[in-house]
């Protein structure tokens, strides 16, 4: 059992002298030393709740006891400091170019934007209604563009991947896809430079970011690269039997079908298997099939004679980092694409036709470029970590909920 004096001296608590700083203090006993100081940060760890070295090496124990992890693990703290610097830099990059930051509703009647299963809840004011957590702020932000805000952005949560998943989205009128690509490449080059400056300085526990962000980034055409990788050509996707034809390609390749083999999911899986692994260095995938981007403009590609979307996805180390496209601004075309999207509904995609948004489009949306980036994945990339929990201050929802179960109990159960 430690004495009280030993416990206090080893606790790391701040001591503040009771006597003036310029007073001449002669040598004194340990007890006299303690009596001459007062504590600005009182605290005491109870017996049986101290974390052992073995427990701090356990990832789950560390994330559930984040306050301890951040005190004793410089790398954990440096990742969060880098995250803050990256967010600040993105905000500054956009504001310096005339973008206004906006906040849009998180809860509404429909999730809006991304194709994903929406989280549902109820409000005391409307107990009979199901309210959904948005999967993306896209439709709200484009309503602001309709209202005359030419350049806007929002930093906030997005439920597509994780309840705490942080994104940045911006929208700018009269911005072409090429302009969006150029702006992205400049931003990421700037963030890479910032990261390495910080790592050479105050964030020295993190590895140097060695990704080559030299511009222009490499590009892959969706249809051409699928044909090159599989030696099979995708059918005309506008035909009624397109889904069945793509399933035949899966059978020829010996690939297992996704759980819900709709045409968008079949094509998305082909991209995940054959295209995304090719994108280790910063690489754009362009000319996606129209059905993969129902909110984007589409056109006939002169080279392939395919109907494609005006969209580009940026992948690094095989992971999507940025999704950008020219927004569909025709209310008639958007209704047609919404109707097509509804055909592909399943348990994970419950999207309905958003009549309010279609009515808003009738007021005239200027040609607009939209851009979205996952902040958490970007921080993982630049900080050299492969765990999303490391870049979230308190981990994911599972970690947060599990913490309350173990709070006040013997932490050895976490091993």
């Amino acid at each position: 059992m430690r004495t009280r004096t030993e416990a206090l001296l080893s606790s790391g608590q701040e001591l503040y002298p009771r006597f003036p700083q310029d007073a001449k203090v002669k040598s004194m006993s340990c007890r006299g030393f303690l009596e001459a100081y007062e504590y600005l940060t009182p605290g005491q760890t109870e017996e049986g709740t101290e974390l052992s070295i073995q427990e701090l090496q356990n990832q789950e124990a560390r994330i559930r006891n984040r306050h301890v992890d951040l005190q004793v693990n410089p790398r954990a703290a440096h990742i969060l400091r880098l995250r803050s610097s990256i967010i600040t830099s993105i905000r500054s990059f956009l504001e310096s170019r005339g973008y206004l930051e906006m906040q849009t509703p998180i809860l509404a009647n429909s999730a809006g934007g991304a194709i994903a299963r929406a989280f549902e809840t109820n409000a005391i004011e409307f107990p009979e209604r199901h309210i959904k957590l948005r999967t993306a702020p896209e439709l709200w932000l484009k309503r602001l563009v309709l209202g005359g805000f030419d350049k806007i952005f929002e930093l906030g949560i997005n439920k597509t991947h994780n309840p705490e998943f942080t994104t940045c989205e911006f929208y700018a009128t009269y911005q072409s896809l090429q302009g969006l690509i150029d702006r992205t490449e400049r931003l990421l080059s700037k963030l890479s430079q910032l990261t390495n400056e910080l790592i050479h300085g105050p964030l020295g526990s993190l590895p140097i970011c060695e990704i080559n962000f030299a511009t222009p980034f490499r590009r892959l055409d969706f249809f051409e690269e699928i044909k090159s990788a599989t030696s099979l050509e995708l059918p005309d996707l506008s035909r009624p039997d397109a889904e069945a034809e793509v399933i035949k390609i899966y059978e020829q390749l010996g690939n297992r079908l996704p759980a819900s083999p709709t045409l968008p999911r079949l094509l998305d899986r082909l991209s995940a298997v054959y295209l995304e692994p090719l994108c280790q260095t910063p690489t754009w995938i362009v000319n996606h099939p129209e059905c993969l981007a129902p909110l984007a403009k589409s056109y006939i590609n002169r080279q392939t004679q395919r109907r494609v979307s005006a969209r580009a996805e940026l992948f690094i180390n095989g992971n999507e980092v940025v999704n950008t496209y020219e927004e569909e601004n025709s209310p008639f075309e958007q209704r047609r694409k919404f109707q097509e999207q509804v055909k592909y509904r399943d348990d994970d995609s419950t999207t309905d036709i958003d009549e309010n948004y279609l009515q808003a489009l009738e007021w005239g949306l200027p040609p607009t470029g939209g851009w979205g980036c996952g902040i958490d994945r970007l921080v993982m990339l630049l900080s050299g970590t492969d765990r999303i929990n490391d870049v979230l201050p308190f981990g994911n929802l599972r970690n947060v909920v599990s913490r309350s179960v173990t709070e006040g109990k013997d932490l050895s159960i976490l091993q």
Side-chain angles (χ1 to χ4, degrees):
M1 177 72 70
R2 294 183 302 174
T3 66
R4 179 175 180 273
T5 299
E6 291 171 334
L8 291 173
L9 288 175
S10 64
S11 65
Q13 299 175 40
E14 296 180 69
L15 297 174
Y16 185 80
R18 293 181 183 277
F19 44 79
Q21 292 183 358
D22 58 351
K24 293 182 180 180
V25 182
K26 297 180 180 180
S27 61
M28 61 179 71
S29 66
C30 186
R31 180 176 180 181
F33 174 80
L34 288 173
E35 289 176 349
Y37 282 74
E38 62 181 349
Y39 296 100
L40 294 182
T41 311
Q44 184 174 353
T45 303
E46 297 179 3
E47 294 290 338
T49 62
E50 297 177 3
L51 287 169
S52 67
I53 294 176
Q54 290 77 15
E55 286 168 327
L56 282 174
Q57 291 174 343
N58 180 289
Q59 295 282 4
E60 295 299 320
R62 283 175 48 200
I63 205 70
R64 291 172 186 163
N65 296 273
R66 192 62 151 163
H67 52 292
V68 181
D69 185 31
L70 293 172
Q71 283 191 24
V72 303
N73 184 358
R75 183 174 180 274
H78 286 176
I79 289 174
L80 295 187
R81 291 183 184 277
L82 177 63
R83 176 192 177 95
S84 178
S85 296
I86 288 172
I87 291 174
T88 299
S89 184
I90 292 173
R91 181 178 278 115
S92 175
F93 180 89
L94 294 173
E95 288 179 341
S96 67
R97 288 160 175 77
Y99 287 78
L100 299 177
E101 185 169 7
M102 297 289 176
Q103 291 78 40
T104 59
I106 293 175
L107 295 171
N109 288 335
S110 61
I115 301 175
R117 181 191 297 177
F119 171 83
E120 292 188 354
T121 186
N122 296 95
I124 296 174
E125 294 86 347
F126 315 107
E128 73 286 354
R129 296 185 188 177
H130 288 295
I131 298 175
K132 297 179 180 179
L133 176 69
R134 74 181 186 198
T135 53
E138 178 171 353
L139 301 185
W140 294 107
L141 289 170
K142 284 194 282 189
R143 284 180 171 91
L144 291 173
V145 176
L146 278 159
F149 290 88
D150 291 336
K151 291 182 176 182
I152 55 173
F153 75 97
E154 180 171 8
L155 278 157
I157 67 166
N158 173 312
K159 201 267 175 190
T160 307
H161 301 80
N162 186 72
E164 297 81 24
F165 189 78
T166 307
T167 63
C168 177
E169 293 196 15
F170 75 69
Y171 295 85
T173 56
Y174 306 103
Q175 186 70 263
S176 67
L177 183 61
Q178 183 58 51
L180 293 165
I181 289 173
D182 292 342
R183 183 151 295 179
T184 303
E185 294 180 356
R186 285 195 298 272
L187 173 60
L188 292 186
S189 296
K190 174 184 173 70
L191 292 177
S192 173
Q193 181 180 357
L194 169 69
T195 297
N196 283 336
E197 288 174 357
L198 290 171
I199 291 171
H200 282 298
L203 307 185
S205 69
L206 301 180
I208 295 296
C209 178
E210 297 182 348
I211 298 170
N212 183 5
F213 285 100
T215 60
F217 297 168
R218 178 174 171 235
R219 299 191 191 187
L220 300 179
D221 180 280
F222 188 99
F223 287 93
E224 292 297 314
E225 290 301 324
I226 289 291
K227 181 179 179 181
S228 174
T230 65
S231 300
L232 297 171
E233 189 166 1
L234 289 171
D236 180 355
L237 300 179
S238 63
R239 290 168 42 185
D241 63 345
E243 189 174 290
E245 291 298 312
V246 176
I247 289 176
K248 289 181 181 178
I249 290 177
Y250 268 73
E251 293 170 350
Q252 289 178 266
L253 295 171
N255 291 348
R256 191 168 68 178
L257 294 174
S260 179
T262 61
L263 184 59
R265 294 198 185 279
L266 289 166
L267 296 171
D268 190 60
R269 175 68 66 83
L270 287 176
S271 176
V273 173
Y274 295 103
L275 302 187
E276 294 170 20
L278 302 176
C279 306
Q280 297 306 307
T281 59
T283 304
W284 293 101
I285 296 179
V286 298
N287 294 329
H288 299 74
E290 181 187 67
C291 64
L292 289 182
L295 291 168
K297 276 185 172 294
S298 51
Y299 63 96
I300 302 297
N301 183 292
R302 293 179 181 177
Q303 183 175 351
T304 63
Q305 293 302 305
R306 302 275 193 168
R307 190 164 189 83
V308 299
S309 58
R311 176 195 188 192
E313 278 185 298
L314 178 64
F315 287 81
I316 306 175
N317 290 346
N319 293 312
E320 183 192 28
V321 178
V322 170
N323 183 30
T324 186
Y325 47 79
E326 295 178 17
E327 305 291 337
E328 179 59 75
N329 63 342
S330 164
F332 312 106
E333 278 294 288
Q334 188 62 79
R335 179 176 292 280
R336 177 184 68 80
K337 292 174 182 179
F338 276 160
Q339 290 170 342
E340 287 293 316
Q341 189 179 18
V342 168
K343 294 179 183 179
Y344 306 126
R345 287 181 55 166
D346 55 30
D347 291 340
D348 290 326
S349 177
T350 57
T351 306
D352 293 316
I353 294 176
D354 191 330
E355 293 291 347
N356 289 331
Y357 177 66
L358 290 172
Q359 289 175 13
L361 279 183
E362 293 175 1
W363 287 88
L365 176 69
T368 299
W371 182 94
C373 174
I375 299 298
D376 307 309
R377 191 168 284 171
L378 180 60
V379 176
M380 289 172 62
L381 187 73
L382 295 175
S383 66
T385 183
D386 56 2
R387 282 171 46 88
I388 193 170
N389 288 354
D390 292 338
V391 303
L392 297 171
F394 293 98
N396 59 26
L397 183 62
R398 176 178 176 273
N399 299 131
V400 174
V401 173
S402 298
R403 184 182 185 280
S404 62
V405 175
T406 60
E407 207 162 50
K409 297 182 180 180
D410 183 357
L411 293 173
S412 63
I413 65 172
L414 299 179
Q415 294 190 54

